[in-house]
Amino acid sequence: MKPDLFQAPDYYNLDDLLTEEHKLVRDAAREWVKREVSPIIEDYAQKAEFPKQIVNGLAEIGAFGPYIPVEYGGAGLDQISYGLIMQEIERGDSGVRSTASVQSSLVMYPIWKYGNEAQRQKYLPKLASGEWMGCFGLTEPDHGSNPAGMVTNFKDMGDHYLLNGAKMWISNAPFAQVAIVWAKDESGRIHGLIVERGMPGFTTPETHNKWSLRASATGELIFDNVKVPKENLLPNKSGLGAPLGCLDSARYGIAWGAIGAAMDCYDTALRYSKERMQFGKPIGQFQLQQKKLAEMITEITKAQLLTWRLGVLRNEGRATSAQISMAKRNNVDMAIHIAREARQMLGGMGITGEYSIMRHSMNLESVITYEGTHDIHLLITGLDITGLNAFK
Ligand code: TGC
Ligand code: FAD
């Protein structure tokens, strides 16, 4: 792979909107990605393997629980710092950002928000340091966009719960020590359970042959009469709103992350357009190529503004789920279009692993599907503005 020459675009001087702390956090993540992710990631994506050696580094840059309080091992940062870390990591690879998103927003967040003090003390510091990795089981083979229909269930056996069912498409599943599993009780109410690797009847077969997110490990969670201790139930929230609340946090991180992938594709195509000569000129001198680049930087700038504003609203506790949906949908769509255009600008070189663009493009096919598909987020916006529910 070519050396990482990334220079972040900031067409509207958005750095002026960031605090010194934001810039320090972002720059540390950016340097770490250049040093530890860029040199190895293409190889791991080609091998379809998660680079486990980067887990400690992810913990050191605060990627595991950026906004979780310091007393639980988190970094105690604000929402914009969290977003900037996700942006920088996804600039390297969406699969690495996935690992961090799941750990932070889908495992640490529910333990912090819906768990009791003993659960927080037991799990959060180990998850923040990367000693333990976690995964989040909501999707099932027959229930993806409609998690309310889930069939995974648990029965109260007096001194423990008995868990049965299966989850599919679960990031980090093949190596996670801890799984946050969403399952129905005997009355059909959804609860979160903390399931640990090693509990008899719990297996995590890996999903192979993905063309997307290859450097992230994906798997199933299978529960065959798993005895879950009663103290592993998350006591402070139940119902579908509990997992959806975690998704708000993860979708917000993805909105920032997608900007990172788009910035990397734009920056690569811009540099290539000045170096690649055809018909005696750099290709960047042709109007058609300039149109592509001009539209890319315009869309990136709009997404940066949308997302920064969303971060401010989240810091103030005012961001709505529908606003988060809009940013996730817009930014991933923006990034996938930029990846496709940038890939074309590199001609044949664009399909190789010499450059990051094709990997970003393939990765974004997962990002546009997980955490709510492109169409589901459109319908969430539709519901919000009309008051009419397309899901019912
Ligand atoms: P609905 O009746 O609308 O809502 C049920 C309850 O949930 C509440 N709620 C929310 N709460 C918090 N945050 C949100 N975003 C919420 N959205 C809804 C709602 O108020 C209600 O509460 P209550 O108290 O009245 O019961 O639910 P619905 O069944 O009609 O479904 C709505 C829909 C389709 C929007 C929802 O099911 C949805 O978002 N579906 C998409 C599923 C999804 O995003 N799955 C993601 C799986 S995890 C994943 O992909 C991880 S990828 C990780 C990685 O590698 O990065
Ligand atoms: P379906 O729900 O079957 O949707 C198929 C198509 O129908 C989509 O285009 C969808 O938009 C459309 N559709 C569905 N309902 C409607 C409707 N009402 N109106 C209009 N169109 C509709 N899940 C987890 O729980 N944890 C994870 O860690 C996780 N990681 C993932 C990692 C990867 C690499 C991938 C690919 C997925 C992951 N997922 C995870 C699952 C992901 O959240 C689901 O794939 C996603 O929610 C969509 O569900 P589905 O694949 O079953 O598609």
Side-chain angles (χ1 to χ4, degrees):
M1 196 178 163
K2 296 273 182 203
D4 185 351
L5 303 172
F6 177 68
Q7 289 189 308
D10 184 12
Y11 201 70
Y12 262 44
N13 301 337
L14 291 168
D15 266 18
D16 294 352
L17 299 173
L18 303 179
T19 64
E20 285 311 308
E21 180 175 73
H22 293 150
K23 286 185 264 192
L24 276 172
V25 166
R26 180 201 56 197
D27 293 349
R30 185 170 292 167
E31 284 312 308
W32 179 80
V33 168
K34 275 199 177 192
R35 205 174 56 245
E36 303 292 336
V37 178
S38 300
I40 58 144
I41 197 65
E42 179 63 28
D43 188 35
Y44 278 83
Q46 294 279 359
K47 289 191 292 192
E49 192 180 321
F50 172 68
K52 288 194 182 136
Q53 70 274 23
I54 65 172
V55 162
N56 287 343
L58 280 166
E60 277 162 23
I61 61 164
F64 296 155
Y67 52 82
I68 300 285
V70 176
E71 60 183 298
Y72 299 119
L77 296 168
D78 77 348
Q79 289 291 312
I80 291 180
S81 289
Y82 161 44
L84 288 164
I85 293 172
M86 295 300 120
Q87 170 186 289
E88 294 306 317
I89 297 175
E90 191 146 2
R91 207 280 298 172
D93 189 80
S94 304
V96 178
R97 196 269 307 134
S98 259
T99 295
S101 290
V102 169
Q103 184 86 344
S104 298
S105 292
L106 300 182
V107 180
M108 296 177 72
Y109 178 88
I111 293 173
W112 176 45
K113 282 285 175 187
Y114 314 146
N116 58 32
E117 195 52 30
Q119 292 167 338
R120 290 186 198 121
Q121 297 289 350
K122 176 174 177 189
Y123 294 102
L124 292 179
K126 286 195 166 72
L127 291 162
S129 69
E131 184 182 341
W132 282 358
M133 295 300 292
C135 67
F136 176 90
L138 181 64
T139 305
E140 299 187 352
D142 294 329
H143 300 95
S145 297
N146 179 26
M150 70 173 67
V151 294
T152 299
N153 66 88
F154 62 96
K155 289 191 170 60
D156 189 336
M157 306 302 282
D159 63 342
H160 65 273
Y161 297 121
L162 200 63
L163 177 65
N164 278 289
K167 301 287 177 178
M168 178 172 191
W169 294 118
I170 308 305
S171 301
N172 298 355
F175 56 77
Q177 280 84 9
V178 178
I180 301 296
V181 177
W182 299 96
K184 286 180 175 165
D185 67 15
E186 285 148 286
S187 72
R189 182 96 184 146
I190 294 171
H191 295 265
L193 294 167
I194 307 172
V195 179
E196 293 187 25
R197 184 172 294 286
M199 289 182 175
F202 174 42
T203 49
T204 60
E206 183 156 3
T207 303
H208 296 290
N209 299 332
K210 291 180 298 167
W211 284 112
S212 173
L213 229 64
R214 288 171 62 82
S216 159
T218 313
E220 295 167 58
L221 305 177
I222 298 181
F223 315 104
D224 180 9
N225 287 318
V226 180
K227 283 185 179 180
V228 180
K230 284 204 152 168
E231 66 262 25
N232 285 27
L233 182 115
L234 296 174
N236 295 334
K237 192 164 168 85
S238 64
L240 186 61
L244 291 178
C246 308
L247 291 180
D248 273 358
S249 176
R251 290 167 175 172
Y252 167 75
I254 290 175
W256 281 95
I259 297 174
M263 291 199 306
D264 197 49
C265 294
Y266 163 77
D267 179 61
T268 304
L270 177 63
R271 190 171 306 106
Y272 192 84
S273 77
K274 295 181 198 168
E275 291 166 358
R276 176 68 176 166
M277 303 292 288
Q278 286 296 293
F279 299 95
K281 294 177 186 176
I283 60 166
Q285 203 170 332
F286 296 116
Q287 289 182 8
L288 285 174
Q289 305 309 318
Q290 289 191 5
K291 176 174 186 291
K292 287 189 192 348
L293 291 166
E295 287 177 350
M296 287 182 204
I297 191 61
T298 306
E299 291 307 314
I300 288 171
T301 304
K302 283 154 66 179
Q304 285 172 324
L305 282 162
L306 178 80
T307 314
W308 175 82
R309 175 65 186 153
L310 184 63
V312 171
L313 290 174
R314 274 183 68 84
N315 276 342
E316 294 170 355
R318 291 198 292 143
T320 66
S321 299
Q323 287 169 334
I324 296 166
S325 279
M326 179 184 282
K328 191 270 183 184
R329 180 175 184 275
N330 178 78
N331 292 9
V332 179
D333 193 51
M334 173 278 297
I336 214 166
H337 276 94
I338 286 178
R340 287 172 186 157
E341 294 286 277
R343 214 282 317 138
Q344 287 192 52
M345 286 190 66
L346 267 69
M349 286 312 293
I351 70 151
T352 72
E354 287 290 297
Y355 295 89
S356 54
I357 297 176
M358 190 72 187
R359 180 167 43 79
H360 282 306
S361 185
M362 294 193 301
N363 282 341
L364 289 162
E365 293 292 341
S366 286
V367 183
I368 205 162
T369 291
Y370 66 36
E371 306 261 8
T373 68
H374 189 65
D375 291 338
I376 291 297
H377 287 296
L378 177 133
L379 294 175
I380 291 172
T381 305
L383 166 59
D384 196 46
I385 58 178
T386 65
L388 304 171
N389 193 335
F391 303 113
K392 304 288 184 202

